[in-house]
């Protein structure tokens, strides 16, 4: 868990959830756990040490202790409340967007609801007081999924998993118990349930390893290292790098890193995916290109086109809101 915390702090702003989860289980242990829990009061000190170790491991990042100061800044949580930041997140975090779009627009809310129903439903057969930590984490996960799904959908899966595992175990115990007195039938039920879970896991893994999931949903990354050329402006670089292409051009933030590494020497990309650094420019991009508010759009247009004087716009139509930006430019 300490090693995972080092990865977490270098990959996502929700890294403080790691020590918090350890503290939650320490509280559960201090309370004596439950009849089905392996935690006892003697486990509490070890879990407190684990929480401290995970917090200390969070210092192993390029910003060292300053990363904690960043979490106190308003823009660290802007994506949860600011619509403009949510749009910018769609442009800057293409790995999140397909999940969020599915959840919001394509009926995949049913998948989230099914997970929450399974986590709660299995507990009907749980014959003891609910374990504090797992229940509290699952409640927080449900609130995040319903209120701030776009910026917290990954955290939802992490927080609800412990209760989901417990609930699934309860369901398995119940169905196996239906064959009480018939060991052979109980064995067949257990094997069938394990087989279904195994097939689901195998299909999921194959979908990711084969890269089919990423391609179908327009995600730029590939399994492992690399990128899908169909999702980034790979073929457009031939035009963008021509001598007669405008030196100043604007583009969507998600393409910034790719453009920066493929532009001819001496040329610079306009913007990239560092949302906190480019907050003002993101707001102007959203207002000028998407144009939800007429008054703000006109002011943003003057700043964007007056200050930067771009001679071209590179619009990646695989990204959310690109259609709106393209239509507005036309």
């Amino acid at each position: 868990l300490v090693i995972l915390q080092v990865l977490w702090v270098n990959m996502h702003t929700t890294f403080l959830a790691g020590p918090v989860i350890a503290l939650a289980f320490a509280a559960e242990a201090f309370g004596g756990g439950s009849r089905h829990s392996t935690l006892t009061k003697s486990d509490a000190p070890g879990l407190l040490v684990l929480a401290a170790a995970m917090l200390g491991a969070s210092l192993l990042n390029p910003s060292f202790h300053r990363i904690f100061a960043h979490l106190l800044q308003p823009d660290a949580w802007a994506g949860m409340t600011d619509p403009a930041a949510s749009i910018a997140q769609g442009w800057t975090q293409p790995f999140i967007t397909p999940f969020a779009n599915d959840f919001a627009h394509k009926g995949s809310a049913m998948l989230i609801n099914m997970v929450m129903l399974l986590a709660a439903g299995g507990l009907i057969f749980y014959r003891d007081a609910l374990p504090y930590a797992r229940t509290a984490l699952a409640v927080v996960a449900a609130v995040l999924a319903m209120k701030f799904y776009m910026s917290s959908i990954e955290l939802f899966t992490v927080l609800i998993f412990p209760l989901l595992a417990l609930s699934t175990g309860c369901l398995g115990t119940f169905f196996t118990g239906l064959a009480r007195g018939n060991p052979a039938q109980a064995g067949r039920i257990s094997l069938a349930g394990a087989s279904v879970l195994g097939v689901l896991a195998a299909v999921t893994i194959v979908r990711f390893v084969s890269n089919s999931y990423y391609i179908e949903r327009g995600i730029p990354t590939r399994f492992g290292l690399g990128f899908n050329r169909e999702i980034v402006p790979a073929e457009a670089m031939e035009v963008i790098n021509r001598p007669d292409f405008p030196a100043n051009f604007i583009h969507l933030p998600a393409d910034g890193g790719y453009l920066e590494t493929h532009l001819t020497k001496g040329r610079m990309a306009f913007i990239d995916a560092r949302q906190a650094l480019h907050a003002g420019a993101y707001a102007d991009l959203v207002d000028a290109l998407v144009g939800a508010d007429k008054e703000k759009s006109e002011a943003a247009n003057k700043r964007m086109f007056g200050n930067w004087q771009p001679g071209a716009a590179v619009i990646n139509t695989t990204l959310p809101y690109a259609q709106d930006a393209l239509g507005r430019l036309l």
Side-chain angles (χ1 to χ4, degrees):
L1 289 176
V2 174
I3 294 172
L4 284 173
Q5 184 67 19
V6 176
L7 293 174
W8 200 343
V9 73
N10 284 283
M11 293 175 68
H12 208 274
T13 54
T14 58
F15 66 91
L16 279 182
V20 169
I21 291 171
L23 282 174
F25 277 95
E28 182 176 307
F30 186 76
S34 66
R35 186 161 57 88
H36 295 283
S37 175
T38 57
L39 294 176
T40 64
K41 287 188 177 181
S42 62
D43 295 313
L47 286 165
L48 288 174
V49 171
L50 174 62
M54 293 175 76
L55 190 63
S58 301
L59 295 173
L60 299 178
N61 70 86
S63 299
F64 196 50
H65 65 279
R66 292 189 299 278
I67 198 164
F68 297 107
H70 168 67
L71 294 178
L72 300 177
Q73 301 301 315
D75 63 354
W77 311 99
M80 286 193 170
T81 55
D82 182 8
S86 295
I87 294 174
Q89 184 182 49
W91 282 350
T92 58
Q93 298 190 27
F95 315 106
I96 295 174
T97 301
F99 294 98
N101 281 353
D102 280 355
F103 180 57
H105 306 303
K106 300 176 185 174
S108 289
M110 183 167 57
L111 179 61
I112 304 296
N113 292 336
M114 187 175 70
V115 168
M116 290 195 285
L117 185 64
L118 179 60
L123 299 179
I124 295 172
F125 310 105
Y126 186 68
R127 305 302 183 194
D128 200 358
L130 288 176
Y132 316 136
R134 279 165 277 198
T135 305
L137 293 173
V139 169
V140 172
V143 171
L144 288 174
M146 290 186 286
K147 293 282 289 181
F148 312 114
Y149 63 86
M150 191 170 197
S151 52
S152 61
I153 198 66
E154 309 105 310
L155 190 56
F156 166 82
T157 63
V158 173
L159 295 179
I160 205 169
F161 183 79
L163 190 71
L164 185 63
L166 176 66
S167 181
T168 306
C170 290
L171 285 172
T173 301
F174 170 74
F175 284 114
T176 304
L178 292 178
R180 194 176 291 113
N182 188 339
Q185 187 179 359
R188 286 193 293 270
I189 292 174
S190 295
L191 179 61
S195 299
V196 169
L197 287 176
V199 169
L200 288 173
V203 169
T204 302
I205 291 170
V206 169
R207 290 269 288 154
F208 283 104
V209 173
S210 67
N211 210 40
S212 61
Y213 178 87
Y214 299 98
I215 292 173
E216 286 175 15
R217 280 166 173 70
I219 303 176
T221 190
R222 294 178 62 87
F223 180 79
L225 299 176
F227 58 89
N228 293 318
R229 293 180 63 86
E230 301 88 351
I231 312 301
V232 293
E235 294 185 24
M237 295 310 301
E238 184 178 340
V239 176
I240 296 170
N241 280 327
R242 279 186 353 204
D244 59 337
F245 192 82
N248 291 347
F249 64 93
I250 57 174
H251 57 84
L252 302 187
D255 290 330
Y258 183 85
L259 289 165
E260 188 63 43
T261 55
H262 289 79
L263 286 169
T264 52
K265 192 173 181 181
R267 297 189 65 196
M268 297 176 65
F270 170 66
I271 198 169
D272 59 35
R274 292 171 291 181
Q275 187 171 338
L277 179 65
H278 297 300
Y282 281 171
D284 278 352
L285 267 177
V286 171
D287 292 333
L289 296 185
V290 178
D293 183 300
K294 185 175 181 181
E295 188 174 326
K296 288 173 66 177
S297 297
E298 294 308 316
N301 281 335
K302 291 177 182 177
R303 289 192 297 271
M304 178 71 62
F305 297 104
N307 294 345
W308 301 104
Q309 299 182 341
V314 177
I315 302 296
N316 186 335
T317 53
T318 67
L319 297 172
Y321 299 97
Q323 308 95 308
D324 302 303
L326 185 58
R328 184 166 173 78
L329 283 169
L330 289 172

